[in-house]
Amino acid sequence: MTDGAVSGWPLPDREFPFELRVCRWTEASWPPGGELPENRVAMVARQLGVRNRRWDTLVLECDREQLGARAVFGERALDSDLLHVVRNAPADWAWYRDALPDPGYPWQYVREAVHTAADRDLVERRKRGNRIELRRRWRYPEWVERVVAIENKPDLDASAARALGDQLERDVALGLADEVWVATRATADRDTDGRGVEPALLERLPVEAGILAVREGGGPAGLDVEPVWYPRSLAVDAPGTQILERPDGGAHDQSAARFEYADAEWKAGKRREIAERAYERGWRGYMGQVRTDCRHFRLADAEAPLPACAAKGRCVTARECSGSCPQFEPEPPVWRANGWPIDGGPGNGAKRLLERQRERFRR
């Protein structure tokens, strides 16, 4: 992907803006080469996963009605402790230790979670004698139908394909996501071989992973995206395998791989936790990584909101847009005093725009 432009801003040829553009394209055009059923909607987030694995882009295919029901629990994510309370809270008043399943860890932490849930108005709470009782306010919906993981690799050379192939093999073995994809810059001539990625690179990736060839074009975020290999659906309802360590593969390496099994219940819980974090963060939540309070900060486009710099005259990465940038200048105080009550300057306006767009796709 060479220097294209979104609303006239030259794009850096790096992974961060590539990732944001893929997120925007995914939000507008998912699924590749098809359409979602009318009762489903796609929600997109970035940089989410589990302790040993984080995906660049995450797509949640949600039941439209159940997604609306999730909204009554607020915009903040529910962690594993809160999910344990909210999902199992009884319809009628009951002592929390009678109402909730054994969590497998000390009950004192469950009691703390009950208080936290009540403070956030997620459940009702009362004290009868020395006992804490709870009652549900709403039934927690199963709002996620499918979880799709996308790895963004704009420069997928042979060495990157080898490393990525190992990661994807672990994803396939675990089966936490329903599908895994790789989005990469188109390297081959589509008119010559009908595909957008060099065949030698495809051979290094597991056949279960899908491949998206990305080109500059007229689609969302200025991209044309073509699926050149469709993924296989993974067994998310079955136990998976977590590969912990593999032998180096040298001539004298006779060590065995280390792995452990992940049961279906653990996987289902992790999928809910990931979905909750995605619901809170979305993919536009990168504003904490850039200096919106700089007078040179801009958004490249309202529909493809990449961070841009008027001083540099181009879109920038999160690393470039920092307080250590030589061009960094705080917004003048008068900018932050426009309107009454104080609305803030352009930087706060950019934050509000991104938050409004993120809220739109929660519904």
Side-chain angles (χ1 to χ4, degrees):
M1 183 180 302
T2 56
D3 280 347
V6 176
S7 289
W9 292 95
L11 292 160
D13 195 13
R14 306 194 186 163
E15 189 164 329
F16 180 69
F18 181 86
E19 179 178 299
L20 295 181
R21 297 177 78 194
V22 168
C23 285
R24 171 64 187 128
W25 177 87
T26 303
E27 190 175 61
S29 303
W30 191 261
E35 294 183 358
L36 286 174
E38 290 187 3
N39 64 335
R40 285 193 190 179
V41 61
M43 178 182 293
V44 181
R46 55 181 291 270
Q47 296 298 324
L48 287 176
V50 291
R51 181 179 61 184
N52 298 321
R53 184 70 172 100
R54 183 176 63 183
W55 293 300
D56 295 335
T57 299
L58 202 70
V59 187
L60 305 181
E61 295 184 10
C62 309
D63 180 279
R64 192 181 297 272
E65 182 177 348
Q66 298 301 315
L67 178 61
R70 165 60 185 82
V72 301
F73 292 90
E75 297 177 1
R76 295 167 59 189
L78 306 182
D79 61 21
S80 59
D81 292 340
L82 289 176
L83 284 170
H84 179 70
V85 172
V86 170
R87 294 184 65 245
N88 297 291
D92 297 318
W93 289 106
W95 183 37
Y96 76 96
R97 291 188 63 163
D98 287 340
L100 304 178
D102 188 338
Y105 50 84
W107 281 100
Q108 68 186 66
Y109 299 111
V110 179
R111 186 172 63 249
E112 293 175 5
V114 170
H115 288 307
T116 300
D119 291 342
R120 288 175 54 175
D121 292 328
L122 305 176
V123 298
E124 294 181 284
R125 168 194 57 190
R126 73 182 183 184
K127 190 171 183 180
R128 299 292 294 269
N130 292 324
R131 292 190 167 191
I132 302 298
E133 296 184 345
L134 79 158
R135 180 173 67 180
R136 73 166 175 248
R137 294 172 61 88
W138 310 281
R139 186 182 297 276
Y140 184 83
E142 296 296 335
W143 52 281
V144 177
E145 298 286 342
R146 301 177 75 245
V147 177
V148 180
I150 303 176
E151 283 295 311
N152 299 310
K153 293 295 178 185
D155 298 311
L156 189 63
D157 55 18
S159 61
R162 281 194 299 271
L164 185 58
D166 179 73
Q167 293 178 350
L168 295 177
E169 286 174 359
R170 295 169 188 257
D171 293 340
V172 170
L174 181 57
L176 191 58
D178 293 84
E179 292 176 357
V180 291
W181 291 78
V182 177
T184 185
R185 179 188 302 110
T187 56
D189 187 349
R190 179 168 45 192
D191 296 333
T192 300
D193 62 7
R195 292 140 72 96
V197 179
E198 294 290 352
L201 299 179
L202 292 175
E203 293 172 3
R204 299 179 184 272
L205 303 178
V207 296
E208 294 87 352
I211 312 291
L212 296 172
V214 182
R215 293 179 172 85
E216 299 290 344
L223 298 179
D224 283 339
V225 180
E226 176 188 11
V228 298
W229 185 269
Y230 283 92
R232 295 180 183 175
S233 295
L234 303 180
V236 296
D237 296 326
T241 302
Q242 292 195 75
I243 300 174
L244 304 178
E245 184 179 355
R246 279 179 157 168
D248 295 333
H252 304 288
D253 187 354
Q254 298 182 3
S255 58
R258 292 196 307 113
F259 63 91
E260 61 185 28
Y261 290 110
D263 60 41
E265 184 178 354
W266 179 88
K267 289 168 57 175
K270 288 300 177 184
R271 284 163 61 92
R272 290 190 192 96
E273 293 173 38
I274 292 170
E276 281 292 324
R277 296 201 300 273
Y279 186 88
E280 178 181 34
R281 290 174 50 181
W283 67 272
R284 294 180 176 85
Y286 64 84
M287 302 309 289
Q289 301 173 251
V290 294
R291 296 305 301 258
T292 59
D293 58 337
C294 176
R295 68 184 302 155
H296 302 301
F297 180 85
R298 303 289 189 274
L299 286 177
D301 190 302
E303 291 301 318
L306 307 181
C309 176
K312 293 182 173 67
R314 57 180 173 81
C315 292
V316 291
T317 66
R319 178 173 296 181
E320 290 176 305
C321 188
S322 65
S324 61
C325 173
Q327 283 83 28
F328 173 72
E329 295 182 48
E331 289 181 338
V334 67
W335 287 13
R336 297 193 289 270
N338 290 334
W340 183 262
I342 295 175
D343 293 327
N348 280 339
K351 290 181 179 179
R352 289 194 296 270
L353 171 64
L354 293 177
E355 185 54 44
R356 286 197 300 272
Q357 290 186 336
R358 182 164 58 177
E359 176 64 23
R360 183 178 68 192
F361 285 97
R362 286 197 186 105
R363 300 180 184 274

